[in-house]
Amino acid sequence: MVKTHPYSRFVLKTLEGVRDTSDVVLQVEKTDSTFTDSKQTVYLCEVVSSNMYNRTSTADRLTDEIQKVNAENRRLIKKIERLEKELRK
């Protein structure tokens, strides 16, 4: 399992613990282990608190997305220009 959020942490939980947590669950992976006291299956979870999950503002997320789209548009425009040049030959 790879960490996917800068503020997340890995915890071991039961299935009920996963369902009832107040944290945002990013990933869940079933393990072959069980908790010794309850004999319930152990799940490895990547979780992040809800206030940390939403820490980046909407403006920041939109700015990042706009930058990605602009870079992709520039790449496609260059590709179109290159193909048009090849067609003219």
Coordinates of all heavy atoms in Angstrom, one line a residue:
M1 N 0.9 -1.2 0.0 CA 0.0 0.0 0.0 C 0.9 1.2 0.0 O 1.9 1.3 0.7 CB -0.9 0.0 1.2 CG -1.9 1.0 1.3 SD -3.1 1.0 2.7 CE -4.0 -0.5 2.3
V2 N 0.6 2.2 -0.8 CA 1.3 3.4 -1.0 C 0.6 4.6 -0.4 O -0.6 4.7 -0.6 CB 1.6 3.7 -2.5 CG1 2.4 5.0 -2.6 CG2 2.4 2.5 -3.1
K3 N 1.3 5.4 0.4 CA 0.6 6.6 1.0 C 0.2 7.5 -0.1 O 1.0 7.9 -1.0 CB 1.6 7.2 1.9 CG 1.0 8.3 2.8 CD 2.0 8.8 3.8 CE 1.4 10.0 4.6 NZ 2.1 10.3 5.8
T4 N -1.1 8.0 -0.1 CA -1.6 8.8 -1.1 C -2.0 10.2 -0.7 O -2.4 11.0 -1.6 CB -2.9 8.1 -1.7 OG1 -3.9 8.0 -0.7 CG2 -2.6 6.8 -2.3
H5 N -1.8 10.5 0.5 CA -2.2 11.9 1.0 C -1.1 12.3 2.0 O -0.6 11.5 2.8 CB -3.5 11.8 1.7 CG -4.1 13.2 2.0 ND1 -3.7 13.9 3.1 CD2 -5.1 13.9 1.3 CE1 -4.4 15.1 3.0 NE2 -5.2 15.1 2.0
P6 N -0.7 13.6 1.9 CA 0.4 14.0 2.8 C 0.1 14.0 4.3 O 1.0 13.9 5.1 CB 0.7 15.5 2.3 CG -0.5 15.9 1.5 CD -1.1 14.6 1.0
Y7 N -1.1 14.0 4.7 CA -1.5 14.0 6.1 C -2.1 12.7 6.6 O -2.6 12.6 7.7 CB -2.5 15.2 6.4 CG -1.9 16.5 6.1 CD1 -2.3 17.3 5.0 CD2 -0.9 17.1 6.9 CE1 -1.8 18.5 4.7 CE2 -0.4 18.3 6.6 CZ -0.8 19.0 5.5 OH -0.3 20.3 5.2
S8 N -2.0 11.7 5.7 CA -2.6 10.4 6.1 C -1.7 9.6 7.0 O -0.5 9.9 7.2 CB -3.0 9.6 4.9 OG -1.8 9.2 4.2
R9 N -2.3 8.5 7.6 CA -1.5 7.6 8.4 C -2.1 6.2 8.2 O -3.2 6.1 7.7 CB -1.6 8.0 9.9 CG -3.0 8.0 10.5 CD -3.0 8.6 11.9 NE -4.3 8.5 12.5 CZ -5.4 9.1 12.1 NH1 -5.4 10.0 11.2 NH2 -6.6 8.9 12.7
F10 N -1.3 5.2 8.5 CA -1.8 3.8 8.4 C -2.2 3.3 9.8 O -1.5 3.5 10.8 CB -0.7 2.9 7.8 CG -0.4 3.3 6.4 CD1 0.8 4.0 6.1 CD2 -1.2 2.9 5.4 CE1 1.0 4.3 4.7 CE2 -0.9 3.2 4.1 CZ 0.2 3.9 3.7
V11 N -3.3 2.7 9.8 CA -3.9 2.1 11.1 C -4.4 0.7 10.8 O -4.8 0.4 9.6 CB -5.0 3.0 11.7 CG1 -4.4 4.3 12.1 CG2 -6.1 3.2 10.7
L12 N -4.5 -0.1 11.8 CA -5.1 -1.4 11.7 C -6.5 -1.3 12.4 O -6.7 -0.8 13.5 CB -4.3 -2.5 12.5 CG -2.9 -2.6 12.0 CD1 -2.1 -3.6 12.9 CD2 -2.9 -3.1 10.5
K13 N -7.5 -1.8 11.6 CA -8.9 -1.7 12.1 C -9.6 -3.0 11.8 O -9.3 -3.8 10.9 CB -9.6 -0.6 11.4 CG -9.1 0.8 11.8 CD -10.0 1.9 11.2 CE -9.7 3.3 11.7 NZ -10.0 3.5 13.0
T14 N -10.7 -3.2 12.5 CA -11.7 -4.3 12.2 C -12.6 -3.7 11.1 O -12.6 -2.5 10.9 CB -12.5 -4.7 13.4 OG1 -13.3 -3.6 13.8 CG2 -11.7 -5.2 14.5
L15 N -13.4 -4.5 10.5 CA -14.4 -4.1 9.5 C -15.3 -3.1 10.1 O -15.7 -2.0 9.5 CB -15.1 -5.2 8.9 CG -15.9 -4.9 7.6 CD1 -15.0 -4.3 6.5 CD2 -16.6 -6.2 7.1
E16 N -15.8 -3.3 11.4 CA -16.7 -2.4 12.0 C -15.9 -1.1 12.3 O -16.5 0.0 12.2 CB -17.2 -3.0 13.4 CG -18.1 -4.1 13.2 CD -17.4 -5.4 12.9 OE1 -16.2 -5.6 13.2 OE2 -18.1 -6.3 12.3
G17 N -14.6 -1.2 12.6 CA -13.9 0.1 12.9 C -13.7 0.9 11.6 O -13.7 2.1 11.7
V18 N -13.6 0.2 10.5 CA -13.5 0.9 9.2 C -14.8 1.7 9.0 O -14.9 2.8 8.6 CB -13.2 0.0 8.1 CG1 -13.3 0.7 6.7 CG2 -11.8 -0.6 8.2
R19 N -15.9 0.9 9.2 CA -17.3 1.5 8.9 C -17.6 2.7 9.8 O -18.2 3.6 9.4 CB -18.3 0.4 9.0 CG -19.7 0.8 8.7 CD -20.8 -0.2 9.0 NE -20.8 -0.5 10.4 CZ -20.8 -1.7 11.0 NH1 -20.7 -2.7 10.2 NH2 -20.8 -1.8 12.3
D20 N -17.2 2.6 11.1 CA -17.6 3.5 12.1 C -16.6 4.7 12.3 O -16.8 5.5 13.2 CB -17.9 2.8 13.4 CG -19.0 1.8 13.3 OD1 -19.8 2.0 12.4 OD2 -19.0 0.9 14.1
T21 N -15.5 4.7 11.6 CA -14.5 5.7 11.9 C -15.0 7.1 11.5 O -15.8 7.3 10.5 CB -13.2 5.4 11.2 OG1 -12.2 6.3 11.6 CG2 -13.3 5.4 9.6
S22 N -14.5 8.1 12.2 CA -14.8 9.5 11.8 C -13.8 10.1 10.8 O -14.0 11.1 10.2 CB -14.8 10.4 13.0 OG -13.6 10.4 13.7
D23 N -12.7 9.3 10.6 CA -11.7 9.7 9.6 C -12.1 9.4 8.2 O -13.0 8.6 8.0 CB -10.4 9.0 9.9 CG -9.7 9.4 11.2 OD1 -9.9 10.6 11.6 OD2 -9.1 8.5 11.8
V24 N -11.5 10.0 7.2 CA -11.7 9.7 5.8 C -10.8 8.5 5.5 O -9.6 8.6 5.7 CB -11.4 10.9 4.9 CG1 -11.5 10.5 3.5 CG2 -12.2 12.1 5.3
V25 N -11.4 7.4 5.0 CA -10.7 6.2 4.7 C -10.3 6.3 3.2 O -11.2 6.4 2.3 CB -11.5 5.0 5.0 CG1 -10.7 3.7 4.6 CG2 -11.9 4.9 6.4
L26 N -9.0 6.3 3.0 CA -8.5 6.5 1.6 C -8.3 5.1 0.9 O -8.6 4.9 -0.3 CB -7.2 7.3 1.6 CG -7.3 8.7 2.2 CD1 -5.9 9.3 2.2 CD2 -8.2 9.5 1.4
Q27 N -7.8 4.1 1.7 CA -7.6 2.8 1.2 C -7.8 1.8 2.3 O -7.6 2.1 3.5 CB -6.1 2.6 0.8 CG -5.6 3.5 -0.3 CD -4.2 3.2 -0.7 OE1 -3.9 2.2 -1.3 NE2 -3.3 4.1 -0.3
V28 N -8.2 0.6 1.9 CA -8.4 -0.5 2.8 C -7.9 -1.8 2.2 O -8.1 -2.0 1.0 CB -9.9 -0.7 3.2 CG1 -10.1 -1.9 4.1 CG2 -10.5 0.5 3.8
E29 N -7.1 -2.5 2.9 CA -6.5 -3.8 2.4 C -6.7 -4.9 3.5 O -6.3 -4.7 4.6 CB -5.1 -3.6 2.1 CG -4.4 -4.8 1.5 CD -3.0 -4.5 1.1 OE1 -2.8 -3.5 0.4 OE2 -2.1 -5.3 1.4
K30 N -7.4 -5.9 3.1 CA -7.6 -7.0 4.0 C -6.3 -7.8 4.2 O -5.6 -8.1 3.3 CB -8.7 -8.0 3.5 CG -9.1 -9.1 4.4 CD -10.2 -9.9 3.8 CE -10.5 -11.1 4.7 NZ -11.6 -11.9 4.1
T31 N -6.0 -8.1 5.5 CA -4.8 -8.9 5.8 C -5.2 -10.3 6.1 O -6.4 -10.6 6.2 CB -4.0 -8.3 6.9 OG1 -4.8 -8.5 8.1 CG2 -3.7 -6.8 6.7
D32 N -4.2 -11.2 6.2 CA -4.4 -12.6 6.6 C -4.4 -12.7 8.1 O -4.4 -13.9 8.6 CB -3.4 -13.5 5.9 CG -3.5 -13.5 4.4 OD1 -4.7 -13.4 3.9 OD2 -2.5 -13.7 3.7
S33 N -4.3 -11.7 8.9 CA -4.2 -11.7 10.3 C -5.6 -11.4 11.0 O -6.5 -10.9 10.4 CB -3.2 -10.6 10.8 OG -2.0 -10.8 10.2
T34 N -5.6 -11.8 12.3 CA -6.8 -11.5 13.1 C -6.3 -10.9 14.4 O -5.2 -11.1 14.8 CB -7.6 -12.8 13.4 OG1 -6.8 -13.7 14.1 CG2 -8.2 -13.4 12.2
F35 N -7.2 -10.1 15.0 CA -6.9 -9.5 16.3 C -7.0 -10.7 17.3 O -7.9 -11.5 17.3 CB -7.9 -8.4 16.7 CG -7.6 -7.1 15.9 CD1 -8.5 -6.8 14.8 CD2 -6.6 -6.3 16.2 CE1 -8.2 -5.6 14.1 CE2 -6.3 -5.1 15.5 CZ -7.2 -4.8 14.5
T36 N -6.0 -10.7 18.3 CA -6.0 -11.8 19.2 C -7.2 -11.9 20.1 O -7.7 -12.9 20.5 CB -4.7 -11.8 20.0 OG1 -4.5 -10.5 20.6 CG2 -3.5 -12.1 19.1
D37 N -7.6 -10.7 20.6 CA -8.7 -10.7 21.6 C -10.1 -11.0 21.0 O -10.9 -11.8 21.5 CB -8.7 -9.4 22.4 CG -8.8 -8.2 21.5 OD1 -8.6 -8.3 20.3 OD2 -9.2 -7.1 22.0
S38 N -10.4 -10.4 19.8 CA -11.7 -10.5 19.2 C -11.8 -11.5 18.1 O -12.9 -11.9 17.6 CB -12.2 -9.2 18.7 OG -11.4 -8.8 17.6
K39 N -10.6 -12.0 17.6 CA -10.5 -12.9 16.5 C -11.1 -12.4 15.2 O -11.5 -13.1 14.3 CB -11.2 -14.3 16.8 CG -10.7 -14.9 18.0 CD -9.2 -15.4 17.8 CE -8.8 -16.2 19.0 NZ -7.4 -15.9 19.4
Q40 N -11.3 -11.1 15.1 CA -11.8 -10.4 13.9 C -10.7 -10.2 12.9 O -9.5 -9.9 13.3 CB -12.5 -9.1 14.2 CG -13.8 -9.3 15.0 CD -14.5 -8.0 15.2 OE1 -13.9 -7.1 15.7 NE2 -15.8 -8.0 15.0
T41 N -11.0 -10.1 11.6 CA -10.0 -9.9 10.6 C -9.4 -8.5 10.7 O -10.1 -7.5 11.0 CB -10.6 -10.1 9.2 OG1 -11.2 -11.4 9.1 CG2 -9.6 -9.9 8.1
V42 N -8.1 -8.4 10.5 CA -7.4 -7.1 10.5 C -7.4 -6.5 9.1 O -7.1 -7.2 8.1 CB -5.9 -7.3 11.0 CG1 -5.1 -6.0 11.0 CG2 -5.9 -7.9 12.4
Y43 N -7.7 -5.2 9.1 CA -7.6 -4.5 7.8 C -6.6 -3.3 8.0 O -6.7 -2.6 9.0 CB -9.0 -3.9 7.5 CG -10.0 -4.9 7.1 CD1 -10.8 -5.5 8.1 CD2 -10.2 -5.2 5.8 CE1 -11.7 -6.5 7.7 CE2 -11.2 -6.2 5.4 CZ -11.9 -6.8 6.4 OH -12.8 -7.8 6.1
L44 N -5.7 -3.3 7.0 CA -4.8 -2.2 7.0 C -5.4 -1.0 6.3 O -5.9 -1.2 5.1 CB -3.5 -2.6 6.3 CG -2.4 -1.5 6.1 CD1 -1.9 -1.0 7.4 CD2 -1.3 -2.0 5.2
C45 N -5.5 0.1 6.9 CA -6.2 1.3 6.3 C -5.3 2.5 6.3 O -4.6 2.8 7.2 CB -7.4 1.6 7.2 SG -8.5 0.3 7.5
E46 N -5.5 3.3 5.2 CA -4.9 4.6 5.1 C -6.0 5.6 5.4 O -7.0 5.6 4.7 CB -4.3 4.9 3.8 CG -3.6 6.2 3.7 CD -3.2 6.6 2.3 OE1 -3.5 6.0 1.3 OE2 -2.5 7.7 2.2
V47 N -5.8 6.3 6.5 CA -6.9 7.3 6.9 C -6.3 8.7 7.1 O -5.1 8.8 7.3 CB -7.6 6.8 8.2 CG1 -8.2 5.5 8.1 CG2 -6.6 6.8 9.4
V48 N -7.2 9.7 7.0 CA -6.8 11.0 7.2 C -8.0 11.7 7.9 O -9.1 11.4 7.6 CB -6.3 11.7 5.9 CG1 -7.5 11.8 5.0 CG2 -5.8 13.1 6.2
S49 N -7.7 12.6 8.9 CA -8.8 13.3 9.5 C -9.5 14.2 8.5 O -8.9 14.7 7.6 CB -8.3 14.1 10.7 OG -7.4 15.1 10.2
S50 N -10.8 14.4 8.7 CA -11.6 15.1 7.7 C -11.1 16.5 7.5 O -11.1 17.1 6.4 CB -13.1 15.0 8.0 OG -13.3 15.6 9.3
N51 N -10.7 17.2 8.6 CA -10.3 18.6 8.5 C -8.9 18.7 7.7 O -8.7 19.6 7.0 CB -10.2 19.3 9.8 CG -9.2 18.7 10.8 OD1 -8.8 17.5 10.6 ND2 -8.7 19.4 11.7
M52 N -8.1 17.6 7.8 CA -6.8 17.6 7.1 C -7.0 17.2 5.6 O -6.4 17.7 4.7 CB -5.8 16.7 7.7 CG -5.4 17.1 9.1 SD -4.7 18.8 9.2 CE -3.0 18.4 8.9
Y53 N -8.0 16.4 5.4 CA -8.4 15.9 4.0 C -8.8 17.1 3.2 O -8.4 17.2 2.0 CB -9.5 14.9 4.1 CG -9.8 14.3 2.7 CD1 -9.0 13.5 2.1 CD2 -11.0 14.7 2.1 CE1 -9.3 12.9 0.8 CE2 -11.4 14.2 0.9 CZ -10.5 13.3 0.3 OH -10.9 12.8 -1.0
N54 N -9.5 18.0 3.8 CA -10.0 19.2 3.0 C -9.2 20.4 3.2 O -9.6 21.5 3.0 CB -11.5 19.5 3.5 CG -12.4 18.4 3.1 OD1 -12.3 17.9 2.0 ND2 -13.3 18.1 4.0
R55 N -7.9 20.2 3.7 CA -7.1 21.3 4.0 C -6.7 22.2 2.8 O -6.7 23.4 2.9 CB -5.8 20.8 4.6 CG -5.0 21.9 5.2 CD -3.9 21.4 6.1 NE -3.5 22.5 6.9 CZ -2.7 22.4 8.0 NH1 -2.3 21.2 8.3 NH2 -2.4 23.5 8.7
T56 N -6.5 21.6 1.6 CA -6.3 22.4 0.4 C -7.6 23.0 0.0 O -8.6 22.4 -0.1 CB -5.7 21.5 -0.7 OG1 -6.5 20.4 -1.0 CG2 -4.3 21.0 -0.4
S57 N -7.5 24.3 -0.3 CA -8.7 25.0 -0.6 C -9.2 24.6 -2.0 O -8.4 24.1 -2.8 CB -8.5 26.5 -0.5 OG -7.6 26.9 -1.6
T58 N -10.4 25.0 -2.3 CA -11.0 24.7 -3.6 C -10.2 25.5 -4.6 O -9.9 25.0 -5.7 CB -12.5 25.1 -3.6 OG1 -13.1 24.4 -2.6 CG2 -13.1 24.9 -4.9
A59 N -9.8 26.7 -4.3 CA -9.1 27.5 -5.3 C -7.7 26.9 -5.6 O -7.3 26.9 -6.8 CB -8.8 28.9 -4.7
D60 N -7.1 26.3 -4.6 CA -5.8 25.6 -4.9 C -6.0 24.4 -5.8 O -5.2 24.2 -6.7 CB -5.1 25.2 -3.5 CG -4.6 26.4 -2.7 OD1 -4.4 27.5 -3.3 OD2 -4.4 26.2 -1.5
R61 N -7.0 23.6 -5.5 CA -7.3 22.4 -6.3 C -7.6 22.8 -7.7 O -7.2 22.2 -8.7 CB -8.4 21.6 -5.7 CG -7.9 20.9 -4.4 CD -8.9 19.8 -4.0 NE -10.3 20.3 -3.8 CZ -10.8 20.6 -2.6 NH1 -10.1 20.6 -1.5 NH2 -12.1 21.0 -2.6
L62 N -8.4 23.9 -7.9 CA -8.8 24.3 -9.2 C -7.6 24.9 -10.0 O -7.5 24.7 -11.2 CB -9.9 25.3 -9.1 CG -11.3 24.8 -8.7 CD1 -12.3 25.9 -8.6 CD2 -11.8 23.8 -9.8
T63 N -6.8 25.6 -9.3 CA -5.5 26.1 -9.9 C -4.7 25.0 -10.4 O -4.2 25.1 -11.5 CB -4.8 27.0 -8.9 OG1 -5.6 28.1 -8.5 CG2 -3.5 27.6 -9.5
D64 N -4.5 24.0 -9.6 CA -3.7 22.8 -10.0 C -4.3 22.2 -11.2 O -3.6 21.8 -12.2 CB -3.6 21.8 -8.9 CG -2.7 22.3 -7.7 OD1 -1.9 23.3 -7.9 OD2 -2.8 21.7 -6.6
E65 N -5.6 22.0 -11.2 CA -6.3 21.4 -12.4 C -6.2 22.2 -13.6 O -5.9 21.7 -14.7 CB -7.8 21.1 -12.0 CG -8.5 20.4 -13.1 CD -8.0 18.9 -13.2 OE1 -7.4 18.4 -12.3 OE2 -8.2 18.4 -14.4
I66 N -6.3 23.5 -13.5 CA -6.2 24.4 -14.7 C -4.7 24.3 -15.2 O -4.6 24.3 -16.4 CB -6.5 25.9 -14.3 CG1 -8.0 26.0 -14.0 CG2 -6.0 26.9 -15.3 CD1 -8.4 27.3 -13.4
Q67 N -3.7 24.3 -14.4 CA -2.4 24.2 -14.8 C -2.2 22.9 -15.6 O -1.5 22.8 -16.6 CB -1.4 24.3 -13.7 CG -1.3 25.7 -13.1 CD -0.4 25.7 -11.8 OE1 -0.1 24.7 -11.2 NE2 -0.1 26.9 -11.4
K68 N -2.7 21.8 -15.1 CA -2.6 20.5 -15.8 C -3.3 20.5 -17.2 O -2.7 20.1 -18.1 CB -3.2 19.4 -15.0 CG -2.5 19.0 -13.7 CD -3.2 17.9 -12.9 CE -2.6 17.7 -11.6 NZ -3.4 16.8 -10.8
V69 N -4.5 21.1 -17.2 CA -5.2 21.2 -18.5 C -4.5 22.1 -19.5 O -4.4 21.8 -20.6 CB -6.7 21.7 -18.2 CG1 -7.4 22.0 -19.5 CG2 -7.4 20.6 -17.4
N70 N -3.9 23.2 -19.0 CA -3.2 24.1 -19.9 C -2.0 23.4 -20.4 O -1.6 23.5 -21.6 CB -2.8 25.4 -19.1 CG -3.9 26.3 -19.0 OD1 -5.0 26.2 -19.7 ND2 -3.8 27.3 -18.1
A71 N -1.2 22.6 -19.6 CA -0.1 21.9 -20.1 C -0.5 20.9 -21.1 O 0.2 20.7 -22.2 CB 0.7 21.3 -18.9
E72 N -1.6 20.2 -20.9 CA -2.1 19.2 -21.9 C -2.5 19.9 -23.2 O -2.2 19.4 -24.3 CB -3.2 18.4 -21.3 CG -3.8 17.4 -22.2 CD -2.9 16.2 -22.5 OE1 -1.9 16.1 -21.8 OE2 -3.3 15.4 -23.4
N73 N -3.1 21.0 -23.1 CA -3.5 21.8 -24.3 C -2.3 22.2 -25.1 O -2.3 22.1 -26.3 CB -4.4 23.0 -23.9 CG -5.8 22.6 -23.6 OD1 -6.3 21.5 -23.9 ND2 -6.5 23.5 -22.9
R74 N -1.3 22.7 -24.4 CA -0.1 23.1 -25.1 C 0.6 21.9 -25.8 O 1.0 22.0 -27.0 CB 0.9 23.8 -24.2 CG 0.6 25.2 -23.8 CD 1.7 25.9 -23.0 NE 1.9 25.3 -21.7 CZ 1.3 25.6 -20.6 NH1 0.3 26.6 -20.6 NH2 1.5 25.0 -19.5
R75 N 0.6 20.8 -25.2 CA 1.2 19.6 -25.8 C 0.4 19.2 -27.0 O 0.9 18.8 -28.1 CB 1.2 18.4 -24.8 CG 1.9 17.2 -25.2 CD 1.8 16.0 -24.3 NE 0.4 15.5 -24.2 CZ -0.2 14.7 -25.1 NH1 0.5 14.4 -26.2 NH2 -1.4 14.3 -24.9
L76 N -1.0 19.2 -26.9 CA -1.8 18.8 -28.1 C -1.7 19.8 -29.2 O -1.7 19.4 -30.4 CB -3.3 18.7 -27.6 CG -3.5 17.5 -26.7 CD1 -5.0 17.6 -26.1 CD2 -3.3 16.2 -27.4
I77 N -1.6 21.1 -28.9 CA -1.4 22.1 -30.0 C -0.1 21.9 -30.7 O -0.1 21.9 -31.9 CB -1.5 23.5 -29.4 CG1 -2.9 23.8 -29.0 CG2 -1.0 24.6 -30.4 CD1 -3.1 25.1 -28.1
K78 N 1.0 21.6 -30.0 CA 2.2 21.3 -30.7 C 2.1 20.0 -31.5 O 2.7 20.0 -32.6 CB 3.3 21.1 -29.6 CG 3.8 22.4 -29.0 CD 4.9 22.2 -28.0 CE 5.2 23.5 -27.3 NZ 6.3 23.3 -26.3
K79 N 1.4 19.0 -31.0 CA 1.3 17.8 -31.8 C 0.5 18.1 -33.1 O 0.8 17.6 -34.2 CB 0.5 16.8 -31.0 CG 0.4 15.4 -31.7 CD -0.3 14.4 -30.7 CE -0.4 13.0 -31.4 NZ -1.0 12.0 -30.5
I80 N -0.6 18.9 -33.0 CA -1.4 19.2 -34.2 C -0.6 20.0 -35.2 O -0.6 19.7 -36.4 CB -2.6 20.0 -33.7 CG1 -3.6 19.1 -33.0 CG2 -3.3 20.7 -35.0 CD1 -4.8 19.9 -32.3
E81 N 0.2 21.0 -34.7 CA 1.1 21.7 -35.6 C 2.1 20.8 -36.3 O 2.4 21.0 -37.5 CB 1.8 22.8 -34.8 CG 0.9 24.0 -34.3 CD 1.6 24.9 -33.4 OE1 2.7 24.7 -32.9 OE2 1.0 25.9 -33.1
R82 N 2.7 19.9 -35.5 CA 3.6 19.0 -36.1 C 3.0 18.1 -37.2 O 3.5 17.9 -38.3 CB 4.3 18.1 -35.0 CG 5.4 17.2 -35.5 CD 6.1 16.4 -34.4 NE 5.1 15.4 -33.8 CZ 4.6 15.5 -32.6 NH1 4.9 16.4 -31.8 NH2 3.8 14.5 -32.2
L83 N 1.8 17.6 -36.9 CA 1.1 16.8 -37.9 C 0.6 17.6 -39.1 O 0.7 17.1 -40.2 CB -0.1 16.1 -37.2 CG 0.2 15.1 -36.2 CD1 -1.1 14.7 -35.4 CD2 0.8 13.8 -36.8
E84 N 0.2 18.8 -38.9 CA -0.2 19.7 -40.1 C 1.1 19.9 -40.9 O 1.0 19.9 -42.2 CB -0.8 20.9 -39.6 CG -2.2 20.8 -39.1 CD -2.8 22.1 -38.5 OE1 -2.0 23.0 -38.2 OE2 -4.0 22.1 -38.3
K85 N 2.2 20.1 -40.3 CA 3.4 20.3 -41.1 C 3.8 19.1 -41.9 O 4.2 19.2 -43.1 CB 4.6 20.7 -40.1 CG 5.9 21.0 -40.8 CD 6.9 21.4 -39.7 CE 8.2 21.7 -40.4 NZ 9.3 22.0 -39.4
E86 N 3.6 17.9 -41.3 CA 3.9 16.7 -42.0 C 2.9 16.5 -43.2 O 3.3 16.0 -44.3 CB 3.7 15.5 -41.1 CG 4.9 15.3 -40.1 CD 6.2 15.1 -40.8 OE1 6.2 14.3 -41.7 OE2 7.2 15.7 -40.4
L87 N 1.6 16.9 -43.0 CA 0.7 16.8 -44.1 C 1.0 17.7 -45.3 O 0.7 17.4 -46.4 CB -0.7 17.2 -43.6 CG -1.5 16.1 -42.8 CD1 -2.8 16.6 -42.2 CD2 -1.8 14.9 -43.8
R88 N 1.5 18.9 -45.0 CA 1.9 19.8 -46.0 C 3.1 19.3 -46.9 O 3.2 19.7 -48.0 CB 2.2 21.2 -45.5 CG 1.0 22.0 -45.0 CD 1.4 23.4 -44.7 NE 2.1 23.3 -43.4 CZ 1.6 23.8 -42.2 NH1 0.5 24.4 -42.2 NH2 2.3 23.7 -41.1
K89 N 3.9 18.5 -46.3 CA 5.0 17.9 -47.1 C 4.5 17.0 -48.1 O 4.3 16.6 -49.0 CB 6.0 17.1 -46.2 CG 6.7 18.0 -45.3 CD 7.7 17.2 -44.5 CE 8.5 18.0 -43.5 NZ 9.4 17.2 -42.7

